[in-house]
Amino acid sequence: MSRTFRIAVVGGDGIGPEVTEAAIRAVDAAASRSNARFEWNHFPWGTDWYFEHGRMAPADYLDQLAPFDAILLGAVGHPKVQDHITLNGLLLPIRRRFDQCVCLRPAYLYPGVNSPLSGKAPGSIDMLIFRENVEGEYANVGGRVYQAKIDEVAVQTSVFTRRGCERIIRAAFEATKQPRRSKAAGPRKVTSVTKSNAQGYGMVLWDEVFADVAKDYPHIETDSLLVDRAVMEFVRRPETFDVVVASNLFGDILTDLSAIVVGSMGLAASGNIDPTRKSLSMFEPVHGSAPDITGQGIANPLAAVLSAAMMLEHLEVPEAAAALHSAVATLLASDGPRTPDLGGTGTTTQVADAIVHLIAK
Ligand code: GGG
């Protein structure tokens, strides 16, 4: 029996629409070999919408998104508008409204891709980073008074709840039940990253919850690092990490670092997931709108393709997800086209064509 999934597509800003189109082509190619069909519903929201309407999306945009099976998002951000307006006007409310509390961001060193770190073998870096996605430092609690006066005050509050910490930390431990992508042997490990020596309330709560949850997984090795140590170790010994769990802000920063360590932001995929499945989840490349290369046709579409593969896994179309993963791995291991971020001269379209060709083979 054929299944049809209705996907909301928000290409957004900059290179977002270019890479999203490539991801859609890849999914359609894989779908034609499975019993799944995809109906793509495009929403023209983002900064162009803002220039025309004074807001990033219509007032009821979250209600419009609610009935879909998933959201495929490109990028948000424009050099002419402050980033807090674009982000808070479109992306962050989606994560909160649909309780997408898990942001899952894998970082894997593919065969055929060079790490900027010397001597790293293919597959030797294989991390799964769990970023808390709806509270913490991005809770959007605070305010400003006496604006533009000498006495101006801005307060930005982080929010850490026991429930919020517990569910992201548990999701990280649960992930150790899945096989690793690399063939690396040895015990599974979960590393928690905080700054609880200086953030003595919220992050101490996080540490306590981490220790409590760890008791339910006695065979899993654990480690707790301060974020300053974690960034050092991401560069010095990235292969020692397996599953990593961190707050919203730290997870955001760490996953840009992990993306570069495995070769390029252009390969970094992410899923914003409601693990209860009560609401829809959203899939997006980690990279932003990249205004410096927008419209040049050279954006790497593979992060968007891999994000779409995560969407297919979430929608339980594993054969199509596997086809996308396999096409990306095969392309990267070959002398096929690659975009400039990976040292090539290929275009977005050439890479997308090669992916579609590999899937159809
Ligand atoms: N592709 C997603 C995107 O445009 N990200 C820009 C960004 O700054 N995101 C912040 C976040 O993920 O919290």
Side-chain angles (χ1 to χ4, degrees):
M1 198 183 65
S2 146
R3 293 170 296 165
T4 300
F5 295 98
R6 296 181 66 236
I7 310 298
V9 181
V10 184
D13 297 331
I15 61 169
E18 305 168 35
V19 297
T20 307
E21 276 317 305
I24 289 172
R25 287 185 58 203
V27 173
D28 280 339
S32 71
R33 297 164 63 91
S34 77
N35 62 358
R37 297 289 170 267
F38 291 85
E39 189 188 297
W40 307 102
N41 300 269
H42 291 263
F43 292 94
W45 304 332
T47 310
D48 284 345
W49 182 278
Y50 177 88
F51 290 140
E52 214 176 308
H53 302 275
R55 50 185 306 142
M56 293 291 287
D60 67 346
Y61 81 105
L62 296 171
D63 292 335
Q64 290 193 45
L65 291 172
F68 287 93
D69 293 308
I71 304 166
L72 192 61
L73 185 125
V76 182
H78 192 287
K80 293 210 168 105
V81 183
Q82 282 179 299
D83 287 329
H84 71 91
I85 293 174
T86 52
L87 213 56
N88 285 296
L90 185 57
L91 182 56
L92 300 187
I94 296 176
R95 293 177 181 160
R96 282 195 290 266
R97 159 74 181 269
F98 300 117
D99 213 11
Q100 296 165 349
C101 63
V102 171
C103 183
L104 176 56
R105 296 183 163 186
Y108 177 72
L109 183 56
Y110 280 93
V113 175
N114 289 327
S115 169
L117 308 176
S118 62
K120 302 298 177 195
S124 64
I125 307 173
D126 181 9
M127 304 189 215
L128 265 188
I129 300 172
F130 282 78
R131 166 190 180 189
E132 199 293 316
N133 213 30
V134 291
E135 54 176 56
E137 308 88 340
Y138 288 25
N140 205 25
V141 176
R144 289 171 67 173
V145 286
Y146 313 123
Q147 268 172 280
K149 305 274 180 348
I150 189 83
D151 296 321
E152 180 161 8
V153 180
V155 176
Q156 183 98 40
T157 304
S158 293
V159 175
F160 288 88
T161 65
R162 182 170 284 278
R163 175 172 167 268
C165 295
E166 208 265 347
R167 61 188 183 173
I168 187 67
I169 290 168
R170 193 167 291 283
F173 276 96
E174 282 296 306
T176 61
K177 294 179 177 168
Q178 305 298 324
R180 292 191 76 171
R181 183 175 339 191
S182 66
K183 302 281 181 291
R188 301 302 303 264
K189 181 164 110 181
V190 180
T191 304
S192 163
V193 179
T194 66
K195 186 69 183 171
S196 52
N197 57 345
Q199 300 283 301
Y201 303 111
M203 291 197 172
V204 170
L205 170 65
W206 176 292
D207 281 354
E208 289 170 8
V209 174
F210 183 72
D212 281 349
V213 174
K215 288 183 195 139
D216 293 337
Y217 301 86
H219 304 300
I220 305 300
E221 198 181 309
T222 61
D223 200 3
S224 289
L225 297 182
L226 297 176
V227 67
D228 29 6
R229 169 88 188 281
V231 291
M232 250 164 44
E233 299 299 351
F234 264 43
V235 173
R236 186 164 59 172
R237 285 192 277 256
E239 54 279 88
T240 62
F241 291 94
D242 177 5
V243 177
V244 177
V245 61
S247 66
N248 210 331
L249 176 64
F250 292 171
D252 192 3
I253 298 168
L254 285 169
T255 49
D256 272 32
L257 179 54
S258 61
I260 283 301
V261 159
V262 296
S264 173
M265 286 301 293
L267 296 175
S270 82
N272 303 271
I273 295 164
D274 169 12
T276 70
R277 294 177 177 268
K278 286 184 189 144
S279 298
L280 76 173
S281 294
M282 173 169 67
F283 300 84
E284 52 166 332
V286 173
H287 64 69
S289 56
D292 52 329
I293 57 164
T294 297
Q296 294 181 33
I298 54 165
N300 190 342
L302 295 182
V305 171
L306 290 168
S307 304
M310 292 175 77
M311 179 182 80
L312 295 172
E313 275 156 16
H314 183 76
L315 296 174
E316 297 174 343
V317 195
E319 63 287 355
L324 263 60
H325 280 300
S326 158
V328 171
T330 305
L331 180 63
L332 290 171
S334 75
D335 57 4
R338 57 181 65 205
T339 43
D341 57 299
L342 289 173
T345 54
T347 64
T348 310
T349 306
Q350 285 168 343
V351 173
D353 287 348
I355 289 290
V356 168
H357 178 72
L358 285 164
I359 291 169
K361 240 172 149 176

